[in-house]
Amino acid sequence: MKAILIDVTRCTGCERCVEACNESNGLEPEIPARKQSRDGLSSRRLATIVALPERRFAKKQCVHCLHPGCVDACLVGAITKTKEGPVIYDPSKCIGCRYCMLACPLSIPRYEWDKKLPYMKKCDMCFDRLREGKVPACVEACPNQVCVFGERDDLLRQARERVAKAGGKYIDHVYGEEELGGTCVLYVSDKPLDAFGWPEKVGRRAIMSYTWPVMSKTPWLAGGVATFLVGTYAVIQRRMKLQAANATGDEATRSDNGEES
């Protein structure tokens, strides 16, 4: 499974990766707004650079979870997790419910609020480029080798070795190894990635592990409610028919009594 390893200590905030992402995805220029997102992500900006303390910078994008909450939340299969690693989006299936936005704990998916026919937007790790044997555009554009692309298991080993051999330069942690059940975008850093919501605001369990106990009972609950409603309808219809039959019988009795008199 493919992944990207990002070394925060090497990032200078040049945004070459962001420019390459915009160009590769054919994104329109960003529209200045009175209320912009704090992290800089939008439907026109699928990758951004987040400022960390002490002049550190880190690239933020979709982390391509191993067990994505957005995939579980999508009602129509517009978002899927590929065997290659990326979590991709098919706008032709999207119904615009925006459940994926609610399901993502890192608030990655963004909506095209300025479009008449809006869709959701997110990084797909340049999936088309991967199928052509290329690396993601952001990785290729980085002048400082901040981003490394490869197999996730290999990058995890490389990240651990980099942390172990640096003599305390890095925080002894590989972000994304366990968070959210594991992700395909990994980080090593000498500063906490609080701006990303890691690790204080994000647990190490996959989102599905929180939602599945409820979602698994939904069909049974829906079936029970449907059965109750059908049963109630049948009882009401039966009573109405009985009342109609009794009313007809009473009229017939009154009519017979009138004729006899």
Side-chain angles (χ1 to χ4, degrees):
M1 184 176 295
K2 301 298 182 181
I4 298 174
L5 172 61
I6 299 176
D7 189 334
V8 172
T9 66
R10 298 182 179 183
C11 184
T12 63
C14 70
E15 294 204 357
R16 298 276 184 84
C17 56
V18 177
E19 295 170 2
C21 175
N22 293 345
E23 181 178 351
S24 178
N25 287 283
L27 300 178
E28 300 175 8
E30 183 64 287
I31 298 177
R34 280 181 286 178
K35 292 184 179 180
Q36 293 183 340
S37 60
R38 293 181 179 179
D39 58 15
L41 289 177
S42 73
S43 62
R44 298 167 182 260
R45 187 179 169 95
L46 309 184
T48 187
I49 299 296
V50 177
L52 302 178
E54 300 180 26
R55 297 187 61 80
R56 285 288 186 268
F57 304 93
K59 179 172 178 281
K60 183 177 181 180
Q61 62 180 79
C62 174
V63 295
H64 301 277
C65 302
L66 301 184
H67 308 285
C70 58
V71 172
D72 295 328
C74 184
L75 302 174
V76 293
I79 308 179
T80 55
K81 174 70 174 180
T82 64
K83 63 181 181 179
E84 293 86 353
V87 177
I88 62 174
Y89 167 69
D90 183 353
S92 67
K93 297 180 180 179
C94 183
I95 59 174
C97 68
R98 302 194 296 277
Y99 285 173
C100 56
M101 297 172 65
L102 297 174
C104 179
L106 297 181
S107 302
I108 296 298
R110 302 299 162 103
Y111 201 59
E112 295 179 309
W113 296 105
D114 59 315
K115 298 290 184 67
K116 292 182 179 179
L117 295 174
Y119 292 104
M120 185 274 291
K121 292 286 188 177
K122 63 175 285 298
C123 160
D124 64 359
M125 203 187 287
C126 292
F127 188 58
D128 289 339
R129 289 174 59 94
L130 300 191
R131 289 188 293 186
E132 295 174 359
K134 301 178 182 179
V135 301
C138 59
V139 175
E140 186 176 75
C142 182
N144 301 314
Q145 296 184 327
V146 174
C147 304
V148 180
F149 181 74
E151 293 294 330
R152 186 174 186 271
D153 291 341
D154 295 337
L155 293 181
L156 278 173
R157 284 192 292 269
Q158 182 177 332
R160 296 190 197 103
E161 290 176 1
R162 192 176 297 189
V163 170
K165 294 179 179 179
K169 175 182 177 181
Y170 298 96
I171 296 173
D172 188 13
H173 183 72
V174 180
Y175 292 91
E177 179 176 7
E178 297 180 353
E179 281 82 3
L180 299 173
T183 65
C184 285
V185 176
L186 309 167
Y187 292 83
V188 289
S189 175
D190 60 343
K191 302 297 177 184
L193 298 185
D194 294 354
F196 285 62
W198 286 348
E200 289 81 4
K201 297 180 182 179
V202 177
R204 300 194 175 192
R205 292 168 55 190
I207 293 299
M208 186 177 69
S209 66
Y210 294 99
T211 60
W212 180 247
V214 176
M215 294 175 63
S216 62
K217 295 179 176 59
T218 300
W220 298 101
L221 178 62
V225 171
T227 301
F228 171 77
L229 293 176
V230 170
T232 302
Y233 176 80
V235 170
I236 292 174
Q237 289 296 311
R238 183 172 181 276
R239 288 182 177 179
M240 292 177 65
K241 289 180 180 179
L242 288 175
Q243 289 177 356
N246 291 336
T248 302
D250 292 342
E251 290 179 1
T253 300
R254 286 195 295 270
S255 177
D256 292 342
N257 291 337
E259 291 177 358
E260 290 176 356
S261 62

